[in-house]
Amino acid sequence: MHSPSPIVRRKSKRIYVGKVPVGDGAPISVQSMTNTRTTDVEATVKQIHALERVGVDIVRVSVPTMDAAEAFKQIKQQVSVPLVADIHFDYRIALKVAEYGVDCLRINPGNIGNEERIRAVVDCARDKNIPIRIGINAGSLEKDIQEKYGEPTPEALLESAMRHVDILDRLNFDQFKVSVKASDVFLAVQSYRLLAARIEQPLHLGITEAGGMRSGAVKSAIGLGMLLSEGIGDTLRISLAADPVEEVKVGFDILKALRIRSRGINFIACPTCSRQEFDVIGTVNALEQRLEDIITPMDVSIIGCVVNGPGEALVSTIGVTGGHNKSGFYEDGVRQKERFDNEQMIDQLEAKIRAKALMLDDSKRIDVSQIEDK
Ligand code: SF4
């Protein structure tokens, strides 16, 4: 109902993380990372399944040891979402998880060691069609770069990234994406801008160590919002000191807000005031929880009175406008004869939204695994 996003995406190359396309106009994928001990296979699989339920496209798993690599093998067999193995330094772990079917390696080639080791990992990735993510982090820049710039700057992050990019270029390997993360919004944003101007590889966005649930979500929305609105970014991960499931929800909310990718319900709700005719806040909170399983894109406006209700309802898939005892109901912008009993608002709205989702799925034959950019 709302107009499509005006954002023009930066041109980038396409890679595949398992079955998920990244770059070249593919839907911006939402990632998360497990925070269980990888050697605890049961807990890690359980967390990945929870992430899958909220729509995660790609999951990263830390693989710090050979024991973790063996656990990774078992985890991989029990989940269907593509898995990225997060590896630092030890090239043997990279070779091991490649054998076990990893979908992407997060490893910086310059940190692997001598030329022979780098070549072994890159050749293996090439043979098995496994992409690599170069992950630069302001907190762990190379010593010489730190000394050269004195502190992490956008130019320092760019130089670090290009050092690893050049290695892969030299080895004629182009199946990679790059991230230049920082916890400072301006540092991260400017680093990504510089990188976007230098390379055509897909970019993985993130504000690293962004903070807890609320502050991290706000920082990520500002940083990623600036970049995405400039067309920069092909995949993203929100870093929160919180349940990783929340990272995925925040990621989708950012994409929804920019109308880049819709998944599930986009709630429009007023902040309420003394004019409200029913409990707007309680209704929105209850429906957000009850309707988490709905992945059909739709706008639902829940407005407490007629001041702004009709206007929002006109551009929503489903809209409700508070009235005395009974509230007005709109579908596809058209006022319906039916009115909702204010006391039964949550149940009635839930039923209408579920019915609408089924109807939209049927009529448009949406393949929900392939929801494309609007
Ligand atoms: S829409 Fe109505 S109830 Fe909601 S904040 Fe505005 S005036 Fe108050």
Side-chain angles (χ1 to χ4, degrees):
M1 301 284 291
H2 287 95
S3 52
S5 173
I7 294 169
V8 179
R9 305 251 317 260
R10 158 188 168 265
K11 201 173 157 20
S12 59
K13 288 186 181 166
R14 164 82 51 99
I15 65 168
Y16 284 87
V17 177
K19 62 182 187 305
V20 176
V22 178
D24 189 26
I28 294 177
S29 43
V30 175
Q31 312 199 20
S32 185
M33 184 169 181
T34 54
N35 61 9
T36 52
R37 279 199 175 282
T38 303
T39 45
D40 186 343
V41 173
E42 194 184 334
T44 306
V45 167
K46 194 171 162 204
Q47 191 167 66
I48 293 172
H49 285 156
L51 291 166
E52 286 181 297
R53 280 196 292 278
V54 290
V56 75
D57 296 301
I58 298 167
V59 175
R60 180 157 49 116
V61 178
S62 183
V63 189
T65 61
M66 275 296 179
D67 282 348
E70 292 306 321
F72 181 89
K73 179 184 183 184
Q74 296 177 51
I75 294 163
K76 180 71 187 147
Q77 288 163 352
Q78 297 176 56
V79 302
S80 55
V81 70
L83 296 184
V84 182
D86 191 278
I87 298 160
H88 292 268
F89 311 113
D90 192 339
Y91 81 111
R92 292 165 308 169
I93 295 176
L95 297 178
K96 193 46 96 180
V97 292
E99 201 182 299
Y100 295 156
V102 74
D103 298 289
C104 179
L105 293 167
R106 193 278 199 188
I107 189 166
N108 290 345
N111 299 346
I112 296 173
N114 64 34
E115 182 75 21
E116 201 182 316
R117 292 175 178 181
I118 297 172
R119 199 175 277 279
V121 171
V122 173
D123 284 348
C124 172
R126 195 191 333 265
D127 287 351
K128 294 185 186 299
N129 255 332
I130 300 168
I132 289 175
R133 169 156 74 94
I134 295 172
I136 304 304
N137 193 311
S140 54
L141 288 173
E142 294 89 339
K143 226 174 168 188
D144 63 311
I145 292 183
Q146 278 183 42
E147 282 168 10
K148 177 176 170 186
Y149 291 91
E151 59 177 354
T153 64
E155 292 74 18
L157 268 73
L158 176 70
E159 183 169 332
S160 175
M162 291 310 296
R163 193 172 277 187
H164 301 284
V165 168
D166 288 344
I167 292 171
L168 294 183
D169 279 351
R170 191 159 41 78
L171 294 173
N172 212 13
F173 183 84
D174 67 355
Q175 294 300 296
F176 67 95
K177 55 189 170 139
V178 188
S179 62
V180 277
K181 298 187 182 182
S183 58
D184 179 84
V185 167
F186 289 109
L187 176 56
V189 166
Q190 190 54 21
S191 302
Y192 276 108
R193 283 176 178 149
L194 294 179
L195 189 61
R198 276 288 287 275
I199 61 173
E200 269 194 43
Q201 294 304 134
L203 299 184
H204 164 120
L205 300 186
I207 303 297
T208 195
E209 294 125 22
M213 186 52 223
R214 186 181 59 211
S215 57
V218 169
K219 253 188 245 173
S220 299
I222 292 172
L224 270 52
M226 289 164 82
L227 290 165
L228 290 166
S229 63
E230 293 170 21
I232 296 171
D234 301 285
T235 181
L236 60 85
R237 185 237 171 153
I238 308 299
S239 286
L240 299 179
D243 184 339
V245 160
E246 299 300 329
E247 298 186 346
V248 179
K249 291 183 188 172
V250 172
F252 276 112
D253 280 346
I254 291 172
L255 295 176
K256 258 190 242 175
L258 293 168
R259 300 206 297 273
I260 291 174
R261 182 179 174 192
S262 292
R263 182 188 189 278
I265 298 165
N266 176 34
F267 282 103
I268 296 128
C270 74
T272 78
C273 70
S274 68
R275 285 199 185 90
Q276 72 170 337
E277 302 281 6
F278 67 95
D279 177 12
V280 172
I281 293 174
T283 302
V284 174
N285 286 342
L287 289 176
E288 271 186 348
Q289 289 211 336
R290 287 194 192 186
L291 297 169
E292 263 184 12
D293 59 304
I294 299 279
I295 56 178
T296 312
M298 68 168 92
D299 295 322
V300 172
S301 65
I302 301 175
I303 309 291
C305 78
V306 291
V307 171
N308 292 323
E312 290 294 352
L314 283 178
V315 289
S316 298
T317 321
I318 295 280
V320 64
T321 294
H324 187 57
N325 294 330
K326 286 184 182 288
S327 293
F329 165 56
Y330 292 69
E331 190 167 343
D332 295 324
V334 179
R335 173 89 192 237
Q336 308 292 305
K337 281 200 183 119
E338 184 180 359
R339 288 164 68 80
F340 289 164
D341 188 332
N342 289 352
E343 297 299 316
Q344 306 293 322
M345 180 65 76
I346 297 171
D347 290 342
Q348 289 178 311
L349 252 180
E350 181 184 357
K352 285 289 177 199
I353 293 167
R354 288 193 178 282
K356 189 71 182 175
L358 277 177
M359 207 191 83
L360 288 171
D361 287 350
D362 278 353
S363 65
K364 291 181 185 167
R365 293 206 178 101
I366 289 174
D367 176 358
V368 292
S369 68
Q370 292 293 318
I371 294 170
E372 294 291 333
D373 289 3
K374 273 184 160 182

